[in-house]
Amino acid sequence: MLQGGGRRPRLKPGDRLLWVWLSRAWSGWQDTLVFVKPSTVISWQRKRFRDHWARLTRMGTPGRPPIAQEIRDLIRRMSESNPSWGSPRIRSELRKLSIDVAKATVEKYRVRQRKPPSPAWRVFLANHIGELVSLDFFTVPTVRFNVLFVLIILAHDRRRVVHF
């Protein structure tokens, strides 16, 4: 039964005709009538959705199908032989051989090349100090309200002004 003291639903003439026709065509219609809140209907739908997907996942094995060992070895061999190739290139080469795998699969099985660690910023500056310059462009308002445009270029090796 419906609980609560909400407003009574307003019936239109079409609604009244439906209920009159239903009461004459089917005598036990009142036994199956249930009033529910909209949140109840939404929770029923969510439960049906969860049950549907739970039933589908129980039917087969979850996740992606396994990749054959030969394909995994081929991906490793290709990445070792061609260190400059990334995953998209290896994937396209495999596709030419009619082997269709996802980019994530190639990422998972390819061999990563060890790179030397990059030098710290201070080491970089020390190595390239002779080639580095700094550039700044700014404006200066004068006493007579003119605007001067200033471009200054400094060399880092001797901290000298190259251009002003």
Side-chain angles (χ1 to χ4, degrees), residues 21-155:
W21 174 81
L22 191 59
S23 65
R24 291 195 179 155
W26 181 24
S27 61
W29 69 273
Q30 291 175 338
D31 299 334
T32 59
L33 187 63
V34 178
F35 289 99
V36 293
K37 295 179 184 176
S39 59
T40 306
V41 175
I42 292 171
S43 68
W44 287 344
Q45 186 65 21
R46 285 184 182 148
K47 183 180 181 321
R48 282 186 57 220
F49 186 79
R50 274 194 313 266
D51 293 346
H52 170 73
W53 284 103
R55 195 169 40 258
L56 281 180
T57 56
R58 269 185 261 138
M59 288 180 176
T61 57
R64 290 183 178 165
I67 302 298
Q69 184 65 40
E70 296 86 23
I71 296 175
R72 285 185 262 171
D73 294 338
L74 181 60
I75 291 171
R76 286 189 186 105
R77 221 172 327 129
M78 288 174 78
S79 64
E80 285 174 347
S81 301
N82 306 293
S84 63
W85 286 7
S87 297
R89 174 74 186 266
I90 294 173
R91 182 175 180 229
S92 67
E93 295 295 325
L94 288 171
R95 199 177 270 164
K96 289 177 187 176
L97 299 171
S98 300
I99 301 171
D100 194 24
V101 293
K103 182 178 173 265
T105 304
V106 176
E107 284 284 330
K108 183 177 178 181
Y109 294 115
R110 79 181 182 105
V111 176
R112 305 248 185 255
Q113 299 297 327
R114 288 258 180 204
K115 294 179 183 175
S118 61
W121 183 245
R122 287 179 190 249
V123 175
F124 175 81
L125 287 177
N127 291 339
H128 299 284
I129 195 83
E131 295 87 29
L132 290 175
V133 294
S134 293
L135 171 84
D136 197 5
F137 182 77
F138 55 94
T139 60
V140 178
T142 63
V143 176
R144 295 186 180 186
F145 303 109
N146 293 331
V147 179
L148 295 177
F149 298 98
V150 180
L151 172 70
I152 187 165
I153 301 174
L154 301 172

